Amino acid sequence: MTDIVAEHVTVRRGGRPIVDSVSLAIESGFVAVIGPNGAGKSTLLSCLAGLLVPDTGAITLDGQPMSAIPARQLARRRAYLPQSPRAEWPVSVERLVALGLMPQLPMFGGLPVDVDERVKRVLTDADLLDRREQPATTLSGGELARAMLARALIGEPDLLIADEPLAGLDPRHAIDGATRLRRLADHGMLVVVSLHDLTLTARHATHVAVIREGRMIAFGPVAATLDAALIHAAFDVRADVIAAGSLRAIVDFF
């Protein structure tokens, strides 16, 4: 089991708190971080990934201070997918995905013999196997998002932190992606992602963390936490929430 704990984490920019004394303890599951634009979700995820040192507060991974974990060791255990990733070079899709194994590969010599099979497996899961030889720079936005998620998952990390990994996907691939994230969580990976689709959150996430103006206003199991009052408090909109925590869940705004 992997656990990550944040204690009174604060990040300031221009004297203003972007993340404001957030405390959070996650031991397992698929945690959806939700909140309005500018709430501080991306900044919080960067801190949880060990990429940004907070101004105050502390973050531990399995009881060890995040800042004390050697970079290569952290890269083996934690995969991070930023918001709106880009492909800068026209490498093939399979090469792009294989780059996710860099922290686990030897410094010298060829690739291990099992890499090709692992690439095939994650490309199949992402519905991109027929694009494996295509230059990554020619993929559509949604295809690139799926390829980048495949790259993050190929190393089979203990912890996945992803910033809006389902944004821009068509309904089929968004559902496929959410289903895959839940399946990974059910098999022991700790999954922490920001999402804007609240119906996908209600159906597939095990827990929800709600951020508004840099503060954590709620955290808990989806079925017990995600309701109409919370959505109104977070987003200033009215909504019906039906069967949260089940595959029949619906969040309907009006």
Side-chain angles (χ1 to χ4, degrees):
M1 180 180 294
T2 300
D3 68 77
I4 187 166
V5 177
E7 296 182 345
H8 305 294
V9 169
T10 296
V11 178
R12 295 184 179 87
R13 292 290 182 269
R16 182 173 71 90
I18 304 300
V19 173
D20 192 357
S21 193
V22 168
S23 294
L24 181 68
I26 308 169
E27 293 184 353
S28 62
F30 173 4
V31 181
V33 181
I34 66 172
N37 295 334
K41 301 184 297 298
S42 296
T43 303
L44 176 61
L45 291 181
S46 294
C47 291
L48 295 178
L51 299 173
L52 178 64
V53 178
D55 293 301
T56 58
I59 298 173
T60 60
L61 178 62
D62 290 341
Q64 185 176 6
M66 186 75 76
S67 58
I69 302 174
R72 190 170 180 85
Q73 179 183 336
L74 181 60
R76 287 174 179 267
R77 297 200 56 205
R78 179 269 295 140
Y80 172 72
L81 181 61
Q83 185 177 359
S84 303
R86 295 186 298 175
E88 302 288 353
W89 301 98
V91 296
S92 67
V93 171
E94 64 180 359
R95 290 283 182 178
L96 176 72
V97 170
L99 288 174
L101 289 171
M102 286 298 292
Q104 301 182 24
L105 297 178
M107 294 294 292
F108 303 101
L111 295 176
V113 295
D114 67 331
V115 168
D116 188 59
E117 287 302 316
R118 294 174 73 172
V119 169
K120 286 181 181 177
R121 185 173 67 250
V122 296
L123 286 177
T124 299
D125 289 343
D127 192 27
L128 287 171
L129 188 60
D130 62 343
R131 301 283 198 272
R132 64 179 300 172
E133 297 180 0
Q134 182 173 326
T137 49
T138 66
L139 294 175
S140 71
E143 289 170 337
L144 180 60
R146 284 149 46 202
M148 289 298 194
L149 181 57
R151 186 176 75 169
L153 294 173
I154 193 172
E156 299 176 352
D158 299 323
L159 168 64
L160 171 67
I161 295 180
D163 195 354
E164 297 187 29
L166 307 182
L169 300 189
D170 60 64
R172 173 199 163 189
H173 290 108
I175 293 168
D176 285 350
T179 301
R180 186 161 70 256
L181 292 175
R182 175 58 184 266
R183 184 169 63 247
L184 292 167
D186 289 343
H187 284 82
M189 186 183 295
L190 179 55
V191 177
V192 184
V193 304
S194 62
L195 294 177
H196 280 298
D197 189 318
L198 298 190
T199 290
L200 288 180
T201 297
R203 289 182 180 179
H204 298 282
T206 61
H207 295 73
V208 62
V210 188
I211 308 293
R212 175 162 178 154
E213 296 179 350
R215 288 186 169 272
M216 181 79 66
I217 65 171
F219 173 69
V222 167
T225 308
L226 189 64
D227 58 20
L230 179 60
I231 290 174
H232 187 268
F235 298 97
D236 293 321
V237 295
R238 297 172 63 195
D240 281 332
V241 181
I242 301 168
S246 78
L247 291 178
R248 297 174 61 85
I250 297 174
V251 178
D252 189 20
F253 300 100
F254 59 94

